[in-house]
Amino acid sequence: MSIPYVREIAVEYGRCDQVSPLIRRVTADNPGPFTFKGTGTYIVGRGQVAVIDPGPDDPAHLDAILRAVQGETVSHILITHHHSDHSPLAGPLKARTGAPIYGCAVAPHDDDDDHAGGVRMEAGHDLGFAPDISLCGGGQVIEGAGWTMDAIATPGHTSNHICFGLREENACFTGDHIMGWSTTVITPPDGDMTDYLASLADIRRRRFDVMWPTHGPPIREVDAFIAAYAAHRQERLDQLTTALKAGPARINDLVPRLYADVDSRLHPAAARSMLAGMIHLVREGALATDGAPGPDSVYRLV
């Protein structure tokens, strides 16, 4: 099943766009291979507002957010996760508005998954991210004047990823958990395929009418999109088990075979993604390896 990507979006950096009755969006000028057109910061409500994913530490973007909420009170700053295109501006925004920061802190890992063989895997980590109010585990209800949001724990892309469900519009702010323009990067140790697939199913069960990713346009055919997203992940996992029918192999043996049509400079990045799949399949009992699954392990079918 091919993913019905949604990529059409008109962006003018610094402009505030009213995108639904309760939602405005200001896009940061940080386009790139992991941010698409840039970080879309959402402002929810009128008068007393929440700001979701203020974005990178960019003074121009901070000024744009403050212009958009001029005359209003920012009562909540909500963070989906700790990547540097989402959370660093939370501190400066708090300093200017006094609003508390909501989110889930993450413990740093010994492994650096920002780089793999010279290939940048993400936009970087904001390891100093420290929310004032923890949403770890999800289940919290966050309320303002005329709006109500549910914090939904969605680990997978990162261990601390949170989505926010806006009850009044049956909408979900999905951060990087589900994006219309691309699949989501999942790289160990902080990224986890098992968690990701479970979180994806959780969001699907909630039957939102629209999803608002931090990067790119909204997704309005929600169920069909999530189904295709999940099917794509399963196809990748099936490729691994099929390839291992030829015999035990290491990830570095499989990447050139399964990604023959991909620029070889991106093969180290593909290897990190493949590792997430291997770890999941070992947990599921489909594959085995000696010791803990890792990038240099020899994998075999069970």
Side-chain angles (χ1 to χ4, degrees):
M1 180 186 295
S2 62
I3 299 174
Y5 287 118
V6 185
R7 293 176 172 142
E8 293 300 317
I9 184 171
V11 171
E12 181 179 320
Y13 298 117
R15 182 182 69 194
C16 181
D17 296 316
Q18 188 80 43
V19 294
S20 84
L22 281 176
I23 303 169
R24 289 168 277 172
R25 181 178 57 217
V26 181
T27 303
D29 188 4
N30 64 329
F34 296 105
T35 58
F36 194 42
K37 301 296 185 180
T39 296
T41 296
Y42 292 104
I43 301 166
V44 180
R46 283 287 182 187
Q48 183 193 67
V49 303
V51 175
I52 302 175
D53 281 353
D57 191 1
D58 176 3
H61 189 52
L62 175 61
D63 289 343
I65 295 171
L66 292 172
R67 284 196 304 272
V69 299
Q70 188 172 6
E72 299 178 289
T73 299
V74 178
S75 57
H76 302 71
I77 300 170
L78 308 181
I79 305 297
T80 61
H81 64 296
H82 69 295
H83 281 161
S84 61
D85 52 326
H86 292 253
S87 61
L89 202 61
L93 183 60
K94 174 186 174 180
R96 296 289 295 272
T97 64
I101 300 168
Y102 293 69
C104 179
V106 66
H109 295 274
D110 292 334
D111 295 2
D112 178 8
D113 64 354
D114 283 351
H115 295 81
V119 177
R120 193 166 182 84
M121 292 297 295
E122 252 295 351
H125 289 172
D126 176 15
L127 293 178
F129 172 63
D132 300 304
I133 299 170
S134 177
L135 301 177
C136 292
Q140 301 84 355
V141 178
I142 305 157
E143 295 181 274
W147 55 265
T148 312
M149 279 190 274
D150 296 289
I152 307 166
T154 47
H157 173 64
T158 62
S159 59
N160 67 332
H161 199 288
I162 302 287
C163 290
F164 297 98
L166 177 61
R167 293 184 183 181
E168 286 77 8
E169 296 189 1
N170 196 32
C172 187
F173 298 96
T174 56
D176 284 356
H177 182 59
I178 302 170
M179 300 183 293
W181 73 282
S182 174
T183 55
T184 298
V185 174
I186 302 171
T187 59
D190 194 46
D192 188 285
M193 183 67 72
T194 306
D195 287 345
Y196 182 77
L197 294 173
S199 298
L200 201 61
D202 183 23
I203 294 297
R204 188 179 184 186
R205 282 192 297 268
R206 293 171 185 263
R207 302 188 67 80
F208 290 107
D209 291 330
V210 60
M211 298 185 293
W212 296 95
T214 299
H215 308 289
I219 301 162
R220 300 190 185 278
E221 300 296 329
V222 171
D223 190 70
F225 193 91
I226 296 178
Y229 230 50
H232 169 80
R233 293 293 179 184
Q234 188 59 51
E235 287 169 7
R236 285 296 192 190
L237 295 172
D238 291 344
Q239 286 177 353
L240 296 180
T241 55
T242 298
L244 288 171
K245 289 180 180 178
R250 291 181 172 86
I251 288 174
N252 286 341
D253 301 325
L254 296 175
V255 167
R257 291 161 51 188
L258 298 184
Y259 292 86
D261 58 343
V262 174
D263 188 329
S264 61
R265 291 174 296 180
L266 299 178
H267 283 184
R272 298 287 289 196
S273 178
M274 188 178 289
L275 174 59
M278 291 294 198
I279 293 170
H280 171 72
L281 290 169
V282 169
R283 285 181 186 146
E284 294 289 296
L287 303 182
T289 187
D290 295 330
D296 299 317
S297 301
V298 176
Y299 296 91
R300 59 186 181 274
L301 286 177
V302 173

